[in-house]
Amino acid sequence: MQKTIAGTTVEVNEEGYLTDMSQWTTAIADAIAAEESVGPLTESHHKVLNYLRDLQKQSATITIRGVGKSGVVTTKELYDLFPGGPLKKASKIAGIPKPVGCI
Amino acid sequence: MSDTQPVKKVCIIVSKGSLDGVYPALIMANGARMEGIEASLFFTFFGLNALNKTTLDHLKVATVGNPALNMAMPMLGMPMTMPFPTWMGALPGVSAFATSLMNKEMEKLDIPPVQEFLELISDSGGKIYACKLAMDMFKLKKEDLWDRVDDVLTVGQFYEDAAGAGTHIIFT
C-alpha cells in the first residue's frame, strides 16, 4: 500500500514499515520518528539508523545483541534513544523491514 | 469488537537451574523488553544457579529424566525420531556433551551465554531479583551472586513489585 510521509509517497506494509528502503529520506525518518514518539532525531539516532540500513543492505540478521556489541551504540543507549521497543522502532524509522528474530 | 489489554509487564519466576530451565525465561524477559514491555526475573530454588557467580556460566542440559532428548538428535546428524534411551543420559560426559552442542547451536542464533544475557536484560532496564528464602536455604549471600542483581526479595516484595493492571506473572 502507499502512504504519503513528509510529502513523499512511499510503499509501506500494513504496519507502516517501508517496503522499499531506497525510498527512504531523512525527512521520512523524522516524520516516522515523530509518529512513534521518538526523538527529535539527533546524530546518535542517525548513527544507529545508518548502521541498521547497512546491515539490511548486506541482508545480515539484525539482533539486539548484535547492535549492542557493534560499537555504534550500547544496549542502554539504544533503549534510551528508541524507547518502547528499540529494534522495532529503529527499523521502522530507518525504512527497513521489521526484525523477525526473538533475540 | 475484541477487547485486548496489552501486556504491560511480565514477572518471570525461574525455579529451575538447568540450562534448558533457565534460557526460556531469559529469552522471554529479553523479548519483552524488546517489545517495550517491562520485565523482571525472580530466581528462586535451583534457579539461583543462574545467579551464583561461580556457576552461572556453567549451566548444564538435563540429560537424566528428559524423555525429549531425541530432539537434539538432528544436531548429531541423526533423525529426530531416533530415541535417546534415558539411561544413557546418566553416563559420564553425556550432559557436558549435550550442553556443548546446545551452546554451539544457541551461539549460531546469537543467543548469548548466561552472564552476557543477564547483562543484556539489565542494560535494557529489566530487573533481576533473587529469592530471599531460597538464598537462606542454599546458604547464599548477596556477594555470592552476580554483581548486578537488583535486589534480594521476599515473596511479599515480589508481589509488591508485580502490582499493576497489565502485569503477568509467569512461573517456569
Side-chain angles (χ1 to χ4, degrees), chain B residues 9-77:
Chain B
K9 177 172 178 172
V10 289
C11 299
I12 304 174
I13 302 165
V14 190
S15 66
K16 297 190 176 69
S18 60
L19 184 117
D20 42 313
V22 169
Y23 263 97
L26 298 176
I27 292 168
M28 296 301 287
N30 176 60
R33 291 302 303 130
M34 285 174 67
E35 293 297 318
I37 298 168
E38 276 185 72
S40 70
L41 286 162
F42 183 67
F43 292 82
T44 187
F45 275 75
F46 294 100
L48 285 174
N49 211 26
L51 287 190
N52 185 344
K53 268 180 204 164
T54 55
T55 55
L56 60 80
D57 267 331
H58 306 283
L59 303 186
K60 298 273 183 288
V61 175
T63 50
V64 174
N66 183 352
L69 265 184
N70 57 293
M71 291 197 70
M73 284 302 178
M75 295 179 192
L76 297 169

Side-chain angles (χ1 to χ4, degrees), chain B residues 1 57 104 112 145 166:
Chain B
M1 289 291 285
D57 267 331
K104 234 179 268 170
L145 303 181

Side-chain angles (χ1 to χ4, degrees), chain A residues 62-69 74-76 78-79 82 84-88 99-103, chain B residues 7-14 22-43 106 109-128 148 170 172:
Chain A
I62 297 174
T63 65
I64 196 120
R65 182 195 189 195
V67 178
K69 287 174 90 174
T74 66
T75 306
K76 262 188 198 158
L78 186 66
Y79 274 89
F82 301 94
L87 217 45
K88 274 196 319 185
V100 287
C102 296
I103 295 289
Chain B
V7 177
K8 289 199 185 137
K9 177 172 178 172
V10 289
C11 299
I12 304 174
I13 302 165
V14 190
V22 169
Y23 263 97
L26 298 176
I27 292 168
M28 296 301 287
N30 176 60
R33 291 302 303 130
M34 285 174 67
E35 293 297 318
I37 298 168
E38 276 185 72
S40 70
L41 286 162
F42 183 67
F43 292 82
M106 291 200 294
L109 294 170
D110 221 9
I111 303 174
V114 172
Q115 175 150 320
E116 192 192 329
F117 216 155
L118 289 170
E119 282 164 8
L120 182 62
I121 293 166
S122 190
D123 283 347
S124 75
K127 298 285 182 230
I128 312 287
R148 291 179 57 188
I170 303 168
T172 68

Side-chain angles (χ1 to χ4, degrees), chain A residues 15-38:
Chain A
E15 291 183 290
Y17 286 79
L18 265 65
T19 52
D20 178 359
M21 68 183 284
S22 70
Q23 294 182 323
W24 181 87
T25 62
T26 51
I28 289 173
D30 287 330
I32 300 176
E35 258 179 49
E36 295 289 329
S37 318
V38 170

